Amino acid sequence: FFFFFFKQKTAYEILSGLVGSEMCIRDREYLGGESEEVYRQRDIRDNPQLVQFHSFKFDYVYNEDAAQSFVYENTAKQAVMSSLEGYNATLLAYGQTGTGKTYTMEGFQYSGQHSDRGIVPRCMEEIFKFIENCPNMEQAFMIRASYLQIYNEVIYDLLRTDRANLQIREDKKKGVFVEGLSEWAVRSPMDIYGLMKKGQQSRATAATKLNDVSSRSHAVFIIVVEQMSIILDENGNKKGKGFDDEDALKHIKVGKLNLVDLAGSERLSITGATGKRLEECKKINQSLSALGNVISALTERKARAHIPYRDSKLTRLLEDSLGGNCKTTMMAM
């Protein structure tokens, strides 16, 4: 397991200070290139006096046999339901490179029937299931999706590759948003697979000592759910100047779901990164450190006047989905 510490606190101790937050751990089996780690764990088991043991508390711990469906139902589903209630929600997959973050978030099969499909497609299935079962015939829904990557602190649109070096803006109505980022209307759960596949083809990856296809960027899949319902009076009639839908009073509820596949944290002594890989590694670790500093600042007992959201593009983008009235879930791999 890969843990990170801030001011002598574990990630769980920090994240648990956020209202509506959860943290879980997901383990996977060792791969062929990790035989040295197998021997190290065996040595620790046979010689416990060589190490110092610590206890950590998590909301959930998944072993290598945990199915994708089980992980979704226990950890991600609540974030989806929160976004349908009008909250901003964020789910982050964090950990060392090669630990299964992309597999957990997206899966490796772009098929609606495959059991290995990840959290992103299952979220969309949950949203359309909610719409299908909605009892209010006067309620309308609009689902929009965007897919971006933050590579070396530069934002790229993964669905419109001609759009690069995008800037983060803030608006009173829209909140924090990426100017120029394409939004795609999603009309069925199957639409999401085409967007995922197209985005993955453009994402920055490279081989390292730990992973043949290591993600060199943070990927953020953004789902916006907009609901509009006509307000009725006590007699069931539409409120407003007239009886047409255009004149009736309406209630609009908007929720945003950020599904974040973080680039893997790295130790240079292990990955052996040099040149371009080294510069990528520096930017990745800097932004992950900025994320930890923001979460730490948000959970301090004494309220701070300044939260360092602007220290990285990642924290700036997630500003309205980390602090305030939102839901946050972190999955450590």
Side-chain angles (χ1 to χ4, degrees), residues 72 79-80 82-84 86-90 105 119-128 131 142-148 181-186 189 192 195-196 220-226 254-260 321:
Y72 171 78
V80 181
S82 295
S83 66
L84 290 169
Y87 291 97
N88 287 349
T90 298
M105 296 303 291
I119 287 174
V120 174
R122 291 177 188 274
C123 287
M124 197 59 73
E125 292 168 11
E126 193 73 52
I127 290 170
F128 277 92
I131 294 173
M142 177 176 285
I143 314 300
R144 305 190 303 273
S146 301
Y147 198 9
L148 64 86
L181 181 66
S182 63
E183 287 188 312
W184 300 70
V186 181
I192 207 71
L195 299 178
M196 287 168 50
V220 185
F221 204 102
I222 304 170
I223 300 173
V224 177
V225 182
E226 186 172 338
V254 180
K256 182 167 67 172
L257 180 62
N258 297 297
L259 302 169
V260 187
S321 300

Side-chain angles (χ1 to χ4, degrees), residues 1 17 98 194 229 272 316 333:
F1 300 150
S229 55
R316 179 72 175 114
M333 310 290 173

Side-chain angles (χ1 to χ4, degrees), residues 146-169 176-182 217-220 222 312-318:
S146 301
Y147 198 9
L148 64 86
Q149 71 172 348
I150 303 173
Y151 175 68
N152 284 348
E153 285 299 292
V154 178
I155 299 177
Y156 297 84
D157 191 330
L158 287 173
L159 301 177
R160 288 285 300 271
T161 54
D162 57 317
R163 300 184 182 184
N165 199 21
L166 302 179
Q167 302 301 311
I168 300 175
R169 308 295 186 194
V176 176
F177 68 98
V178 178
E179 187 176 41
L181 181 66
S182 63
S217 66
H218 305 305
V220 185
I222 304 170
S312 77
K313 294 289 179 63
L314 177 65
T315 51
R316 179 72 175 114
L317 176 66
L318 300 177

Side-chain angles (χ1 to χ4, degrees), residues 95-311:
Q96 184 173 284
T97 183
T99 52
K101 299 181 298 297
T102 302
Y103 170 73
T104 297
M105 296 303 291
E106 298 189 5
F108 294 147
Q109 299 291 333
Y110 298 103
S111 168
Q113 303 300 320
H114 204 285
S115 60
D116 278 349
R117 65 192 189 279
I119 287 174
V120 174
R122 291 177 188 274
C123 287
M124 197 59 73
E125 292 168 11
E126 193 73 52
I127 290 170
F128 277 92
K129 181 180 177 182
F130 177 87
I131 294 173
E132 184 179 343
N133 295 328
C134 180
N136 186 359
M137 300 301 294
E138 302 290 343
Q139 193 163 356
F141 293 82
M142 177 176 285
I143 314 300
R144 305 190 303 273
S146 301
Y147 198 9
L148 64 86
Q149 71 172 348
I150 303 173
Y151 175 68
N152 284 348
E153 285 299 292
V154 178
I155 299 177
Y156 297 84
D157 191 330
L158 287 173
L159 301 177
R160 288 285 300 271
T161 54
D162 57 317
R163 300 184 182 184
N165 199 21
L166 302 179
Q167 302 301 311
I168 300 175
R169 308 295 186 194
E170 188 168 5
D171 179 81
K172 287 184 178 179
K173 292 184 178 180
K174 296 178 65 176
V176 176
F177 68 98
V178 178
E179 187 176 41
L181 181 66
S182 63
E183 287 188 312
W184 300 70
V186 181
R187 297 178 175 85
S188 75
M190 294 306 297
D191 290 352
I192 207 71
Y193 294 101
L195 299 178
M196 287 168 50
K197 190 172 183 178
K198 184 177 182 181
Q200 276 298 321
Q201 291 172 347
S202 304
R203 191 174 178 189
T205 60
T208 68
K209 287 185 177 180
L210 290 179
N211 191 356
D212 290 337
V213 189
S214 174
S215 300
R216 313 308 294 168
S217 66
H218 305 305
V220 185
F221 204 102
I222 304 170
I223 300 173
V224 177
V225 182
E226 186 172 338
Q227 306 174 51
M228 183 182 69
S229 55
I230 295 175
I231 300 176
L232 305 177
D233 60 21
E234 60 274 8
N235 297 318
N237 298 317
K238 300 173 184 177
K239 285 187 175 182
K241 296 180 180 178
F243 291 98
D244 294 334
D245 287 353
E246 293 183 1
D247 298 323
L249 294 177
K250 302 176 182 68
H251 174 72
I252 297 176
K253 182 164 57 177
V254 180
K256 182 167 67 172
L257 180 62
N258 297 297
L259 302 169
V260 187
D261 178 10
L262 295 171
S265 53
E266 298 183 359
R267 288 185 180 180
L268 296 180
S269 59
I270 298 177
T271 60
T274 59
K276 185 179 180 181
R277 301 286 89 82
L278 176 60
E279 293 305 312
E280 293 169 347
C281 180
K282 289 179 180 178
K283 294 294 185 181
I284 290 170
N285 288 342
Q286 285 174 4
S287 62
L288 291 175
S289 178
L291 175 63
N293 292 336
V294 165
I295 295 175
S296 180
L298 288 169
T299 57
E300 287 186 3
R301 290 184 178 181
K302 185 177 180 181
R304 287 176 51 166
H306 173 68
I307 306 295
Y309 288 114
R310 295 177 184 267
D311 284 359

